[in-house]
Amino acid sequence: MEKNRLKKDKIRAVLKALPKTEIHLHLEGLASVETIWSLKTKHRLDFPNIQSKEDLYQRFKVKNLNDFIDLFINVVQNSFQQEDDIKLLIEDARSYLKRNNITYTEIFFAPSKFVRNGFSFPKILDILDDGAKQLFEEERLRVRYIIDVSRTFGPENAMQNLDLTLQNRKDSVIGIGLGGAEDKGPAQDYKEVFRKAKANGLHLVAHAGEDVGPSSIWHSLQYLEVERIGHGISAIKDQKLMDFLAEKQIPLEICPKSNIITGRYVTTYKEHPIRPFYDQGLKVTLNTDDPTIFGAELVDEYMTLITEGVFTFQEDLQLMKNTLEATFLSQEEKEAAWNTFLDSVSNIGAIPELNK
């Protein structure tokens, strides 16, 4: 037992040491309980049933997707009352990326609630862009942003988010994404938003197949022409769709712990479709979604896939390669990052196998 524990510790240390990428991560989902509590205190905010820091910790333990969306919008995002508060998110991102040795990431940011709270959209983008520059200069961590135009507030608001993004272009903002309550915002309602974004050189992604069936994924591909699918786990119910995703090598941004906690399609790692997707040749990537809210660290996700017997260490390495390949980096940048990764692997030596 002790020997096996030491093996696990060694494998986890190796997984942590390897330089990684992540492509499905929400900036607001990186907000720590300490950050939200400090903002609640600073702005004297009153949230129902949250009178202490312990109450806040308990509120963060979401049990389903609706709990998550309610916490995300009504507590986390509402805690930010001034544009400068967003700088705290940059610091929480710094901590998370360093803990998990994530050297490149593409992070979603949803501006709608902030703008409705009176924030200046240009000032928000300035803070995000300055934060990305700071993280690179100080830590050599590369951060790029995807603006979540959001289903939650409808197509007109989504177009407004896009227009404001285009009017205030930043090198660190590379695309738009469609998030929010999937069952309330079908992809076809956002066709014009995504058409305009594509025409202006932005990358396109959408949450689909997380809480709704395979049709949501088909529609995102058909109407929005997205380059990646966020989650996409309901594709397991449609073999034709899986064949299409495998043939086209459209990346799936898989977030196992998030899917398990929200519980729409899976409740354990072993029943998660990430394994059959992998076996059938789909381009699966590994991500955390909202680390603080779901208690998900990227290193732990890689480790859990091994300890649960879902993937081997070598297959974890392939997932890391898939995730790098699915980024919006240039081919030259991907090749350079992969060479750095291989150098790290070669410096590690033998990796112990866990007992079956």
Side-chain angles (χ1 to χ4, degrees):
M1 183 70 71
E2 178 66 14
K3 187 176 181 180
N4 206 40
R5 184 188 67 79
L6 291 174
K7 287 182 180 179
K8 289 181 180 180
D9 289 346
K10 169 71 182 298
I11 293 173
R12 190 184 188 285
V14 169
L15 292 171
K16 182 175 182 179
L18 294 172
K20 291 171 288 296
T21 55
E22 186 165 6
I23 60 174
H24 191 108
L25 182 64
H26 294 268
L27 186 61
E28 303 95 309
L30 288 165
S32 65
V33 171
E34 292 295 333
T35 289
I36 299 305
W37 183 254
S38 71
L39 291 174
K40 180 183 184 302
T41 304
K42 173 185 175 182
H43 300 303
R44 300 181 180 180
L45 302 174
D46 183 24
F47 297 128
N49 303 315
I50 299 178
Q51 305 303 320
S52 67
K53 192 181 292 186
E54 179 58 32
D55 290 339
L56 184 58
Y57 273 112
Q58 293 303 316
R59 185 67 183 81
F60 263 62
K61 296 178 180 179
V62 299
K63 296 180 175 63
N64 54 56
L65 189 58
N66 287 331
D67 277 358
F68 161 73
I69 292 174
D70 178 60
L71 172 65
F72 191 82
I73 294 175
N74 296 320
V75 177
V76 174
Q77 289 188 327
N78 266 345
S79 295
F80 295 83
Q81 297 292 305
Q82 301 168 350
E83 286 97 342
D84 281 351
D85 292 343
I86 295 174
K87 294 177 182 178
L88 295 176
L89 290 176
I90 303 298
E91 292 309 304
D92 284 335
R94 181 199 303 264
S95 178
Y96 170 77
L97 296 174
K98 289 180 68 175
R99 285 197 309 272
N100 291 275
N101 196 17
I102 299 166
T103 55
Y104 177 79
T105 184
E106 293 166 2
I107 301 183
F108 290 105
F109 180 78
S112 297
K113 188 68 174 178
F114 297 99
V115 172
R116 285 170 178 248
N117 284 352
F119 286 26
S120 160
F121 196 99
K123 181 70 179 295
I124 292 173
L125 289 190
D126 283 343
I127 291 171
L128 294 180
D129 193 55
D130 289 345
K133 292 174 181 174
Q134 183 181 16
L135 290 176
F136 183 73
E137 290 169 358
E138 297 176 0
E139 310 285 357
R140 284 299 181 262
L141 302 173
R142 296 186 64 191
V143 172
R144 297 293 180 266
Y145 301 105
I146 296 173
I147 299 300
D148 181 355
V149 296
S150 184
R151 295 174 166 97
T152 303
F153 302 101
E156 184 177 340
N157 177 79
M159 184 64 83
Q160 180 184 32
N161 282 334
L162 171 61
D163 288 339
L164 288 168
T165 299
L166 295 175
Q167 291 162 18
N168 300 276
R169 292 297 288 260
K170 301 290 183 183
D171 289 342
S172 60
V173 177
I174 60 172
I176 65 165
L178 188 61
E182 194 179 349
D183 60 344
K184 297 177 182 176
Q188 49 267 45
D189 291 353
Y190 298 85
K191 181 177 179 179
E192 289 306 310
V193 177
F194 277 69
R195 182 197 60 77
K196 185 173 183 178
K198 182 178 181 179
N200 282 276
L202 291 175
H203 290 290
L204 311 176
V205 300
H207 288 56
E210 177 187 15
D211 197 46
V212 174
S215 63
S216 175
I217 302 171
W218 279 119
H219 292 163
S220 294
L221 296 170
Q222 176 184 356
Y223 294 111
L224 307 183
E225 299 182 20
V226 295
E227 299 163 82
R228 297 193 311 236
I229 294 290
H231 299 284
I233 58 173
S234 69
I236 195 67
K237 297 180 175 294
D238 186 338
Q239 186 61 52
K240 184 178 178 182
L241 175 56
M242 285 194 289
D243 292 342
F244 180 83
L245 292 169
E247 177 189 353
K248 300 297 184 181
Q249 286 293 281
I250 297 168
L252 297 182
E253 304 161 358
I254 302 292
C255 309
K257 191 168 186 179
S258 168
N259 301 148
I260 290 166
I261 290 176
T262 56
R264 179 64 175 88
Y265 287 104
V266 295
T267 56
T268 69
Y269 282 88
K270 288 188 176 180
E271 71 176 0
H272 196 285
I274 187 172
R275 182 72 227 191
F277 286 165
Y278 182 91
D279 289 339
Q280 294 191 45
L282 280 70
K283 178 76 79 173
V284 290
T285 69
L286 189 65
N287 310 275
T288 57
D289 203 3
D290 297 273
T292 306
I293 296 173
F294 294 124
E297 298 282 314
L298 188 60
V299 172
D300 291 340
E301 289 296 88
Y302 279 108
M303 187 66 199
T304 301
L305 290 178
I306 295 174
T307 57
E308 289 288 321
V310 180
F311 282 85
T312 65
F313 177 82
Q314 292 297 327
E315 288 168 337
D316 263 8
L317 297 187
Q318 182 62 51
L319 288 179
M320 292 181 189
K321 184 178 184 181
N322 287 357
T323 307
L324 172 60
E325 290 176 344
T327 68
F328 294 130
L329 289 168
S330 69
Q331 190 58 39
E332 183 180 3
E333 290 171 317
K334 290 178 185 179
E335 290 174 2
W338 183 241
N339 287 333
T340 299
F341 180 89
L342 291 178
D343 288 342
S344 298
V345 172
S346 66
N347 291 331
I348 288 168
I351 305 299
E353 290 290 334
L354 289 177
N355 293 337
K356 297 297 184 183

